[in-house]
């Protein structure tokens, strides 16, 4: 359970509401007054290393004169991510207890900056939840590293602090593993992709593939850390593993069968077997993974695991009996426990999808409750560390409407107001948006589905109650020119 001290319940104070700058997420307190601070290129930046570079990059300030001063101050009231920012005629001054807090002050400056100047404001700000995430699936469709860096930078704009990177699935393996090179030589490439909706049953024969080297991912980790974003990698097991089984057939329950990397969307019935060597394979992969990603959490999946092959396998039945399980159907919990125990020895905790609630959540794990709000409530009642990610409110790969102009998506009916209206439990670690990529073959489509709804998720995670949809829409209208300037391919908001 999360510490109540990690959540603020103070209401926002905003003076001069109609003229207030369009900040997303809404700060805890915001006071404005008439006037503007003009800063030319000669203006200087005084700030700790790293923070100063971000300000210069975002605002284009290259001088050494008076301008922006950001300093660390021992102020426990701001917590790990809070900050204070005062902009008046003499300059902009920000304070925080941590570099992360100063980084969020920089993102506020980034949103306030217009035409070489800043409005006169006083802001005190801190987040409501400590986990504010965005999941990105790069397994169904591989995206270039440049887009991942860009996506991190856009997350930081909204003070989202966790990228959940879904690196493996039935349709592609994207993480380079030195010990098992066939994972990327074979598992990273498929021979085709569904055409139209998956239910149509049509595929093309256009090869699709790609993966990230460990060096590239270390670069991404550093890029994200400089912007206050940590990256949680996901290696999904024991289901969603057909790409791995295609590379190493001995991982499957029929080792003599050569499976292809899956072309179709949906859930493969082919899962990892329960042999000790197969467990060692996954722990070997995780050992290389944690050497690349320093974040405390590693997501090990556990979702949508068909048990047909285990039930039919004498080896799986024997393993279940040897482990004292009621039957091979219970091997999911055994698998997750083994992986969690191994990662604990490396000083890591695991994330799991909510199917593990019934199977047994490993000690110290965070449960990502995705199936619906009832599963969120179940995780809360069970006293589990919870990241709220219910499909009906946070799956941004769903289209906003069923209108004819919407791009092809897995489903429809997730308008901006439904995203904004979600209220996670007060006891949750936080909230996370999901962007599954089955129907997102291009980066432009990924941005179209994510923005501006990702800003609504960010406000859910950052801003204290009460929240007001009309006020959010007003601020969003003023914020869209910034997305235009950044070249974001966003979906224009529908009229209320």
């Amino acid at each position: 359970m999360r510490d109540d001290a990690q959540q603020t319940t103070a209401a926002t104070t905003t003076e001069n509401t109609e003229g207030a700058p369009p900040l997303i997420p809404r700060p805890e307190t915001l006071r404005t007054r008439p006037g503007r601070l003009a800063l030319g290129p000669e203006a200087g930046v005084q700030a700790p290393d790293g923070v100063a570079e971000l300000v210069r990059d975002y605002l284009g300030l290259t001088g050494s004169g008076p301008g922006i001063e950001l300093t660390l101050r021992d102020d426990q009231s701001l917590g790990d991510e809070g900050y204070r920012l005062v902009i008046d005629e003499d300059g902009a001054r920000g304070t925080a207890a941590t570099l992360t807090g100063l980084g969020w002050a920089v993102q506020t400056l980034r949103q306030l900056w217009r035409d070489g100047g800043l409005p006169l404001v006083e802001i005190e700000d801190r987040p409501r939840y400590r986990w504010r995430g965005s999941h990105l699936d790069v397994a169904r469709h591989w995206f270039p590293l440049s887009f991942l860096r860009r996506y991190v930078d856009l997350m930081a704009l909204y003070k989202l602090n966790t990228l959940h990177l879904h690196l493996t699935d039935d349709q592609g393996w994207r993480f380079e593993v030195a010990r098992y090179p066939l994972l990327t030589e074979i598992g990273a490439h498929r021979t085709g992709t569904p055409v139209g909706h998956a239910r149509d049953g049509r595929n093309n024969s256009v090869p699709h593939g790609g993966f990230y080297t460990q060096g590239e991912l270390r670069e991404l980790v550093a890029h994200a850390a400089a912007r206050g974003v940590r990256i949680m990698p996901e290696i999904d097991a024991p289901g969603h593993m057909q790409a791995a089984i295609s590379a190493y057939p001995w991982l499957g329950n029929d080792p003599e069968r050569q499976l292809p990397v899956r072309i179709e969307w949906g859930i493969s019935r082919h899962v990892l077997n329960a042999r000790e060597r197969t467990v060692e394979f996954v722990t070997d992969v995780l050992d290389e993974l944690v050497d690349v990603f320093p974040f405390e959490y590693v997501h090990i999946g556990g979702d949508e695991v068909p048990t047909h092959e285990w039930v039919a396998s004498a080896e799986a039945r024997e393993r279940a009996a040897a482990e004292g399980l009621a039957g091979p159907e219970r091997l999911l919990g055994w698998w997750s426990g083994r992986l969690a125990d191994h990662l604990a020895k490396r000083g890591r905790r695991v994330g799991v999808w909510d199917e593990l609630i019934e199977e047994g959540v490993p000690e110290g794990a965070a449960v990502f409750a995705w199936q619906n709000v009832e599963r969120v409530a179940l995780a809360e009642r069970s006293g589990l560390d919870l990241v709220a990610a219910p499909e009906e409110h946070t799956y941004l790969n769903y289209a906003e409407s069923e209108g004819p102009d919407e791009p092809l998506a897995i489903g429809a009916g997730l308008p901006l107001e439904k995203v904004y209206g979600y209220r996670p439990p007060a006891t949750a670690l936080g909230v996370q948006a999901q962007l599954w990529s089955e129907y997102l073959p291009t980066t432009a489509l990924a941005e179209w589905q994510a923005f501006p709804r990702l800003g609504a998720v960010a406000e859910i995670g950052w801003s204290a109650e009460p929240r007001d949809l009309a006020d959010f829409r007003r601020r969003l209208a003023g914020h869209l020119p910034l997305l235009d300037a950044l070249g974001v391919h966003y979906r224009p908001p529908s009229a209320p």
Side-chain angles (χ1 to χ4, degrees):
M1 299 285 285
R2 65 195 296 275
D3 189 333
D4 288 343
Q6 294 165 345
Q7 181 188 28
T8 178
T9 57
T12 295
T13 300
T14 305
E15 297 180 2
N16 303 325
T17 302
E18 291 303 318
L23 292 173
I24 296 174
R26 187 199 64 203
E28 184 177 286
T29 65
L30 167 65
R31 294 180 174 85
T32 66
R33 62 187 182 86
R36 188 170 177 271
L37 171 66
L39 294 174
E42 71 283 354
V45 180
Q46 297 181 42
D49 291 344
V51 175
E53 284 74 13
L54 284 180
V55 179
R56 295 188 185 105
D57 288 346
Y58 290 143
L59 307 189
L61 303 180
T62 58
S64 57
I68 295 175
E69 181 179 356
L70 302 173
T71 57
L72 292 171
R73 180 174 297 172
D74 186 11
D75 186 345
Q76 299 304 310
S77 69
L78 292 174
D80 292 337
E81 298 188 84
Y83 66 93
R84 292 189 180 90
L85 184 63
V86 176
I87 304 173
D88 57 25
E89 293 87 346
D90 297 323
R93 299 174 299 282
T95 60
T98 66
L99 290 174
T100 300
L102 287 184
W104 298 143
V106 172
Q107 298 300 334
T108 296
L109 289 170
R110 185 183 177 193
Q111 290 199 30
L112 291 172
W113 183 258
R114 292 288 190 280
D115 301 321
L118 296 163
L120 306 187
V121 298
E122 294 181 16
I123 294 173
E124 183 170 323
D125 205 7
R126 55 182 65 78
R128 182 176 190 188
Y129 294 101
R130 65 182 177 91
W131 190 294
R132 306 177 305 281
S134 178
H135 160 285
L136 181 62
D137 170 16
V138 296
R140 273 52 176 268
H141 280 101
W142 177 86
F143 297 129
L145 192 69
S146 58
F147 176 72
L148 300 190
R149 290 194 296 266
R150 173 176 169 81
Y151 195 77
V152 163
D153 206 57
L154 291 170
M155 285 177 59
L157 179 68
Y158 295 119
K159 303 181 177 71
L160 292 163
N161 66 358
T162 309
L163 173 62
H164 176 172
L165 197 58
H166 186 80
L167 287 164
T168 66
D169 218 295
D170 297 315
Q171 297 83 7
W173 185 284
R174 309 299 177 205
F175 175 66
E176 177 191 42
V177 182
R179 199 171 304 183
Y180 300 104
L182 296 184
L183 286 172
T184 47
E185 290 178 22
I186 295 175
H189 306 276
R190 63 175 181 263
T191 59
T193 296
V195 176
H197 201 282
R199 60 175 170 260
D200 299 332
R202 295 183 293 115
N203 303 319
N204 64 29
S205 56
V206 179
H208 179 83
F211 66 93
Y212 309 105
T213 69
Q214 293 188 18
E216 289 173 329
L217 291 171
R218 286 190 176 95
E219 176 192 338
L220 179 65
V221 167
H223 177 88
R227 288 151 181 79
V229 178
R230 61 265 180 111
I231 301 179
M232 177 180 65
E234 180 181 357
I235 301 294
D236 202 346
H240 289 282
M241 270 282 178
Q242 186 167 322
I245 298 170
S246 73
Y248 294 98
W250 53 267
L251 297 171
N253 289 277
D254 184 1
E256 302 304 316
R257 181 178 182 183
Q258 178 64 60
L259 293 170
V261 176
R262 185 177 170 90
I263 294 177
E264 299 81 11
W265 305 141
I267 305 167
S268 171
R269 64 184 291 130
H270 302 297
V271 302
L272 296 178
N273 62 48
R275 296 174 183 171
E276 195 64 25
R277 180 65 186 93
T278 303
V279 176
E280 291 175 4
F281 162 84
V282 181
T283 57
D284 288 344
V285 169
L286 293 175
D287 283 343
E288 294 196 27
L289 191 79
V290 299
D291 287 341
V292 174
F293 294 93
F295 184 42
E296 173 187 8
Y297 283 91
V298 172
H299 206 292
I300 57 173
D303 62 314
E304 299 175 328
V305 182
T307 60
H308 312 81
E309 290 187 335
W310 290 340
V311 171
S313 166
E315 282 189 337
R317 295 195 300 270
E318 290 171 6
R319 169 64 84 176
E323 298 294 334
L325 305 176
E329 299 90 343
R330 314 308 295 181
L331 283 169
L332 172 57
W334 172 81
W335 255 107
S336 299
R338 289 293 301 274
L339 300 184
D341 288 346
H342 180 81
L343 285 166
K345 296 173 184 176
R346 298 295 304 268
R348 304 304 174 87
R349 302 171 67 181
V350 298
V352 296
W353 297 110
D354 65 47
E355 283 89 339
L356 268 294
I357 295 176
E358 287 80 11
E359 300 293 330
V361 174
E363 183 177 356
V367 175
F368 289 70
W370 71 273
Q371 295 186 68
N372 49 51
V373 294
E374 287 76 19
R375 300 293 289 179
V376 174
L378 175 60
E380 183 187 25
R381 290 195 305 272
S382 301
L384 299 168
D385 285 345
L386 163 67
V387 177
E391 182 176 21
E392 68 266 46
H393 290 284
T394 67
Y395 270 45
L396 304 186
N397 49 297
Y398 276 73
E400 291 215 16
S401 76
E402 297 181 358
D405 295 333
E406 298 286 356
L408 181 68
I410 190 171
L414 185 52
L416 178 70
E417 55 267 25
K418 187 172 182 180
V419 176
Y420 190 77
Y422 180 55
R423 298 296 190 270
T427 56
L429 295 175
V431 63
Q432 179 171 285
Q434 278 58 239
L435 201 62
W436 298 99
S437 68
E438 288 97 331
Y439 298 95
L440 303 177
T442 68
T443 59
L445 278 173
E447 290 187 0
W448 179 273
Q449 294 293 77
F451 300 98
R453 290 181 295 179
L454 191 61
V457 176
E459 187 147 319
I460 293 167
W462 183 277
S463 303
E465 297 286 0
R467 297 199 313 272
D468 179 77
L469 177 61
D471 175 63
F472 178 77
R473 284 188 174 278
R474 179 194 64 79
R475 286 181 283 116
L476 179 59
H479 172 75
L480 292 180
L482 176 57
L483 294 187
D484 290 329
L486 293 173
V488 178
H489 187 70
Y490 63 88
R491 181 192 186 279
S494 301

